[in-house]
Amino acid sequence: MLRIKRVPTVVSNYQKEEVVGAASPVGGCGRNCLKSCCIQEAKLPLYAFKRVDNVSGKDLPLLECKEQHVAFLDSLILGEWEDRMQRGLFRYDVTACETKVIPGEYGFIAQLNEGRHLKKRPTEFRVDKVLQPFDESKFNFTKVGQEEVLFQFEPSNDGEVQFFPNAPIDVENSPSFVAINVSPIEYGHVLLIPRIFECLPQRIDHASFLLALHMAAEAGNPYFRLGYNSLGAFATINHLHFQAYYLAVPFPIEKAPTKKIAKLNGGVKISKLLNYPVRGLVFEGGHTLDDLANTVSEACICLQHNNIPYNVLISDCGRKIFLLPQCYAEKQALGEVSAELLDTQVNPAVWEIGGHMVLKRKKDYDEASEANACRLLAEVSLSEERFQEVNALIFQAIASVEMNVKSQCLEEVDAVNSSTQPAMVPGSHECLVLQ
């Protein structure tokens, strides 16, 4: 079985908003950041991945996750991450966090992470707007130290995997970076920042989502998942990024049963979650990686345009994607969340919705139960009625880009083209609690 090596974290308060009185090198600001003041002549490792978007559907099983297989990208992430441990770039020791599986049907995982609560960067933008313009004055990833970047992640020019340990940074072509999360949730917690110098706001597009699937496929590790939080669904930084980390047990959502509701001409199967506290869609398959990426990103773009907060979990080495519209922040703003849940200060983002409960208080960790976890997730989920309305929007968006949903598979969404479909007003929906 593949083992995830763990070493003690060297803790520091390295990352500061400002460095007062620091000596500035010639042409730099003194923080060795990624902005123009410091990036000139800088070099970083470059991992050039092989494109797999032309792989035929019958060949996709060759990309299957295998626990015995250790891909180069997988070892690169862990090796570079451990190096940053030894250099003291993290805000607390994540390897010291207590973790347990909560008894019950779902097998929720609870982690006590008091350091993340105390030292994580606060949210700096409105939580009621999924799309907001990038604001240079707020924290963004061009302000981090170059030491926090593990490597550049770009497609190979010749179709083969290549690694350059000391590559120039092509600022004008805005490479994508993989960097550590200085407030980690789990071992190997990293950020994928697409086209970093374009300073894109936190909104998914086709290219960025395809890049995330490439990273999942290249890592080839079933314990490595990528997640995405939109604004309004507990993203804390309005600069386009995905998160990823290693967890050596299945997420409860990965074990949930599903029911197929559609099959697209591109081979993508769409299902809905069954018997899980949060309603959501599951996307799998596709003749090419592009088919899967285009379908899911089109659904995400639809949610963004309709001001519907959502989370995405990329599982099974990029072969399975969970799309989870949610309404917790909206209910919180309306005063509809109980004081008991608010007191936990748990913000249910992609990892919590997937079943990895990151708890901030020892009391909540000691008293963690399946009933408490379900109570939280019930507040996150859309009502059945609202979920069907959102599904109708998503299928309309997919159909509008000529992906041609097969009509015989649409029993669950047969109202998509109905003239009786309720008019949708972006951002005006009502979220109901699961009973």
Side-chain angles (χ1 to χ4, degrees):
M1 177 180 289
L2 178 65
R3 296 185 181 275
I4 299 174
K5 179 183 173 187
R6 291 175 179 267
V7 299
T9 307
V10 179
V11 182
S12 79
N13 290 322
Y14 166 77
Q15 191 184 70
K16 304 289 187 181
E17 284 297 330
E18 301 294 340
V19 179
V20 180
S24 297
V26 176
C29 68
R31 289 184 288 170
N32 195 31
C33 69
L34 299 175
K35 300 179 81 64
S36 59
C37 55
C38 298
I39 201 68
Q40 307 303 321
E41 309 301 324
K43 294 184 178 182
L44 288 168
L46 168 62
Y47 182 97
F49 61 85
K50 180 179 180 179
R51 294 182 184 273
V52 293
D53 39 320
N54 292 322
V55 176
S56 67
K58 66 178 73 172
D59 292 331
L60 278 175
L62 297 175
L63 303 174
E64 185 176 8
C65 285
K66 294 182 179 179
E67 292 187 6
Q68 297 82 6
H69 173 67
V70 179
F72 176 68
L73 179 62
D74 191 45
S75 59
L76 176 65
I77 291 170
L78 287 173
E80 292 294 309
W81 199 86
E82 289 177 3
D83 172 75
R84 299 323 190 268
M85 281 185 172
Q86 299 302 326
R87 291 161 64 177
L89 304 188
F90 293 92
R91 294 184 167 186
Y92 51 82
D93 182 358
V94 72
T95 65
C97 293
E98 296 181 67
T99 298
K100 64 184 178 183
V101 176
I102 301 173
E105 174 188 357
Y106 296 105
F108 292 119
I109 305 118
Q111 181 199 86
L112 176 61
N113 194 328
E114 296 170 295
R116 184 172 174 84
H117 169 48
L118 298 172
K119 297 182 178 180
K120 189 175 184 296
R121 189 179 304 281
T123 301
E124 296 183 305
F125 47 82
R126 296 173 60 178
V127 298
D128 62 340
K129 295 291 184 185
V130 173
L131 295 180
Q132 297 177 44
F134 182 87
D135 186 344
E136 169 65 27
S137 68
K138 300 286 197 298
F139 176 79
N140 64 79
F141 296 115
T142 67
K143 297 182 179 182
V144 307
Q146 292 178 31
E147 298 86 353
E148 295 177 34
V149 180
L150 304 185
F151 51 89
Q152 304 175 67
F153 187 67
E154 291 293 308
S156 171
N157 290 328
D158 64 2
E160 296 298 326
V161 173
Q162 294 180 305
F163 179 69
F164 305 92
N166 200 29
I169 299 171
D170 187 356
V171 175
E172 299 216 348
N173 286 321
S174 195
S176 300
F177 284 179
V178 175
I180 60 169
N181 187 325
V182 295
S183 297
I185 288 176
E186 257 298 345
Y187 198 76
H189 194 165
V190 296
L191 305 171
L192 171 63
I193 311 164
R195 313 194 301 279
I196 184 169
F197 299 115
E198 290 184 26
C199 293
L200 302 168
Q202 184 73 341
R203 59 187 299 173
I204 279 179
D205 57 37
H206 295 91
S208 65
F209 199 79
L210 180 60
L211 184 76
L213 291 194
H214 274 294
M215 186 174 183
E218 287 284 317
N221 188 325
Y223 300 146
F224 184 72
R225 291 87 162 184
L226 283 88
Y228 177 88
N229 302 315
S230 78
L231 301 186
F234 301 105
T236 56
I237 297 169
N238 188 23
H239 189 175
L240 180 58
H241 66 287
F242 296 81
Q243 301 186 50
Y245 63 67
Y246 292 82
L247 187 69
V249 293
F251 273 73
I253 199 171
E254 294 173 330
K255 300 182 292 181
T258 60
K259 178 181 179 179
K260 185 175 81 171
I261 59 175
K263 182 73 174 286
L264 308 185
N265 281 349
V268 176
K269 180 180 78 171
I270 306 177
S271 306
K272 70 174 183 177
L273 286 170
L274 299 177
N275 191 32
Y276 194 73
V278 180
R279 295 181 173 87
L281 296 175
V282 185
F283 297 78
E284 302 172 85
H287 300 320
T288 69
L289 204 63
D290 261 325
D291 289 327
L292 185 57
N294 287 339
T295 302
V296 179
S297 59
E298 198 61 42
C300 294
I301 291 167
C302 168
L303 295 178
Q304 290 166 175
H305 286 168
N306 285 279
N307 200 35
I308 301 170
Y310 67 94
N311 308 91
V312 178
L313 180 67
I314 299 173
S315 179
D316 194 20
C317 301
R319 298 165 60 85
K320 180 180 287 188
I321 295 126
F322 298 85
L323 178 61
L324 304 148
Q326 68 144 297
C327 61
Y328 189 86
E330 178 182 358
K331 294 177 69 174
Q332 195 175 24
L334 294 172
E336 297 175 1
V337 178
S338 71
E340 181 184 4
L341 285 178
L342 293 176
D343 286 345
T344 68
Q345 300 182 60
V346 173
N347 294 327
V350 60
W351 309 120
E352 288 81 9
I353 295 174
H356 188 196
M357 303 295 171
V358 183
L359 304 175
K360 302 173 180 179
R361 303 187 303 182
K362 185 72 161 62
K363 172 181 181 291
D364 298 323
Y365 181 79
D366 291 340
E367 298 174 1
S369 67
E370 183 168 275
N372 288 342
C374 287
R375 192 173 300 117
L376 171 68
L377 295 183
E379 299 281 10
V380 173
S381 182
L382 303 185
S383 68
E384 178 63 29
E385 180 183 10
R386 177 57 182 163
F387 182 63
Q388 291 301 331
E389 291 175 350
V390 169
N391 280 0
L393 283 175
I394 288 172
F395 279 93
Q396 283 175 326
I398 292 171
S400 72
V401 292
E402 301 180 344
M403 303 194 86
N404 298 324
V405 179
K406 292 183 178 179
S407 59
Q408 64 267 30
C409 297
L410 288 177
E411 310 94 5
E412 298 284 333
V413 290
D414 56 3
V416 168
N417 294 313
S418 171
S419 60
T420 61
Q421 181 67 29
M424 304 304 302
V425 181
S428 68
H429 57 279
E430 178 182 3
C431 299
L432 303 179
V433 183
L434 278 172
Q435 299 298 321

